Amino acid sequence: MAHPPSDSRNPGMPLDPSWFQRAAVNTPAVEARAAELGARRPLVGAHRAAWLVNAIRCMDLTTLAGDDTEDRVARLCAKARAPLAPEVAEGLGVAGLTTGAVCVYPTMVGAAVRALAGSGVPVASVATGFPAGLMPLALRLAEIRYAVEEGAAEIDIVITRAHVLRADWAALYDEIAAMREACGAAHLKAILATGDLQTLSNVYKASMVAMQAGADFIKTSTGKEAVNATLPVSLTMVRAARDYGARTGHAVGFKPAGGMRSAADAIAWQVLMREELGARWLRPDLFRLGASSMLADIEAALTAYVTGRPVAPQSLARA
Ligand SMILES: O=C[C@H](O)COP(=O)(O)O
């Protein structure tokens, strides 16, 4: 399938329920496909290293904790600017490698912007009453505008799950469209909190509504639900993005987030993107891995590959 260009933002479109209201996801088939993806023969050597470097390039390095401080954010940003030790980066031929972005709470955006100055690494901010989103819309929109004024280039919004559970697609569309407008030039990632949506068919429908409302990315989770990113949910969402792109010519990005911890996770999700959407979707403008602790395992794997010495992930510098 020809891949639509991704350098143009998703303009959205009027809500059209005929694109999704009769969608019925074959859950057993999706789960079987996802299991097959996760059970692939492991990559080794230079091939595995290349996929892990790309995972860093596409990572939203995240801290979203109640005890976050400006010092912790500054340390995270230093890691985002230089995720690998110099000798490891040079050994891989990726001097200057950075993460895709840094993702923080709104009141930490200023500290992140200052710490990332001159790096080219954008700041993403969660907003709209993260993680539950249960605040008046006017306050959620004000929070978006605050984060953008603080310097956020990307806004990760959360949807009102009740709109999905009640199949109130107009209400879901209207809130995301209003959020998209409040973002202005900042890119909008729509967090669907899929662990709260009960069925894969609801995940597909919410994905389609978010894209029709103008989301630049669809994102699985806040990382605070009981169940966050899974391969079956991700497969459902990327197929929605594929269907939307085939009909509109607009590429919408995908961000799995929450609970991904290992280098193996980083490869499994990239294999899913490569096989379902194509190599074009393995770049940071269309793919992000939302993770707070996955980088340590990736760094340990790459350090061991370059130096030949095994390294415990917990021994590496953490934010
Ligand atoms: O959006 C990013 C997620 O909150 C990160 O979740 P995590 O801490 O489980 O990696």
Side-chain angles (χ1 to χ4, degrees), residues 29 42 45 63 73 127 142 156 180 187 239 247 251:
T63 186
V73 168
D156 290 24
R180 172 71 160 74
H187 282 219
R239 286 179 173 175
R247 296 182 77 151

Side-chain angles (χ1 to χ4, degrees), residues 281-308:
W281 256 266
L282 284 174
R283 300 185 203 168
D285 63 323
L286 285 178
F287 177 59
R288 297 289 177 82
L289 288 160
S292 65
S293 60
M294 179 196 269
L295 179 57
D297 199 52
I298 293 174
E299 184 183 3
L302 291 173
T303 302
Y305 170 69
V306 170
T307 67

Side-chain angles (χ1 to χ4, degrees), residues 16 93 235 262:
D16 185 346
L235 200 53
S262 68

Side-chain angles (χ1 to χ4, degrees), residues 62 64 219 222-223 255 257-261 290-293:
T62 300
L64 293 169
K219 173 178 174 183
T222 65
K255 176 177 175 181
M260 299 179 295
R261 298 280 182 265
S292 65
S293 60

